[in-house]
Amino acid sequence: MFIQTESTPNPATLKFLPGQTVLEMGTADFPTSETADKSPLATRIYGVDGVSGVFFGTDFVTVTKAENVDWDHIKPALLGAIMEHFQSGDPVMSGDHAPVSGHAEHTGEDSAIVNQIKELLDSRVRPAVAQDGGDITFHGFDRGVVYLHMQGACAGCPSSTLTLKMGIENLLRHYIPEVTEVRPVA
């Protein structure tokens, strides 16, 4: 098994490509080791000292390291953990994990606008962001302001504010005149 690695715009995050399916669909975010209990793979990755975040896409694993850790020190252990997992035959997710769109539900008078926002995010934004090892999901819409949740490499990325303001905000404002601003949600 050969696992490729790619850098991301976030220097604290690396993208690992195991060459096989990680999740059939959707994404899974494990921002702390306590949240990793739903995934044998995430649990194994958190077993490497210095890991501060794990995120899965359909064909990649994104790992975020702690600030005081050097990639040269933990990358070999991470490659080993990912390889061991896929060779073990264990599932990536345990139990009844059902992938979801990741978007928050929204009902009410703005539901048509929200559906347009989600459609643009799914068709134009999320595929591009996945290339960088992350995901951006809809969190809310209130009086023209779209709230988005950033995951994986996007969470804590130095260029994420620029991506939100110059890229996503301009895209949404162009197609949906009711959108006036885009803000991140922690």
Side-chain angles (χ1 to χ4, degrees):
M1 176 178 204
F2 179 71
I3 301 172
Q4 293 181 313
T5 58
E6 292 180 1
S7 59
T8 71
N10 185 346
T13 304
L14 265 183
K15 183 177 174 182
F16 294 82
L17 299 146
Q20 54 190 310
T21 301
V22 177
L23 290 178
E24 290 295 325
M25 61 183 284
T27 61
D29 191 22
F30 307 96
T32 65
S33 59
E34 291 77 30
T35 60
D37 62 344
K38 297 178 190 95
S39 168
L41 176 55
T43 301
R44 199 174 290 222
I45 292 169
Y46 267 112
V48 175
D49 281 341
V51 172
S52 67
V54 177
F55 180 81
F56 300 154
T58 54
D59 65 348
F60 66 88
V61 174
T62 302
V63 178
T64 303
K65 68 175 185 65
E67 219 175 282
N68 60 344
V69 177
D70 192 320
W71 280 119
D72 291 338
H73 294 122
I74 66 167
K75 186 176 170 184
L78 290 169
L79 287 166
I82 294 168
M83 188 177 301
E84 281 175 22
H85 175 81
F86 282 103
Q87 290 176 340
S88 74
D90 291 341
V92 171
M93 301 298 292
S94 58
D96 57 353
H97 167 73
V100 294
S101 73
H103 296 307
E105 292 300 316
H106 183 91
T107 56
E109 62 188 59
D110 296 326
S111 61
I113 295 168
V114 168
N115 287 338
Q116 284 182 289
I117 293 168
K118 289 179 181 180
E119 173 59 34
L120 278 170
L121 289 173
D122 288 343
S123 64
R124 300 273 183 108
V125 177
R126 292 176 85 184
V129 171
Q131 292 293 315
D132 287 337
D135 196 13
I136 295 180
T137 56
F138 173 82
H139 191 266
F141 179 73
D142 184 35
R143 288 181 244 151
V145 179
V146 177
Y147 296 92
L148 300 177
H149 181 65
M150 300 185 297
Q151 301 172 305
C154 297
C157 176
S159 61
S160 65
T161 303
L162 186 64
T163 300
L164 273 180
K165 288 294 178 190
M166 301 308 289
I168 300 168
E169 184 175 290
N170 287 344
L171 174 82
L172 292 177
R173 287 173 64 187
H174 175 78
Y175 287 103
I176 308 168
E178 293 86 353
V179 172
T180 58
E181 185 181 358
V182 172
R183 293 184 192 164
V185 175

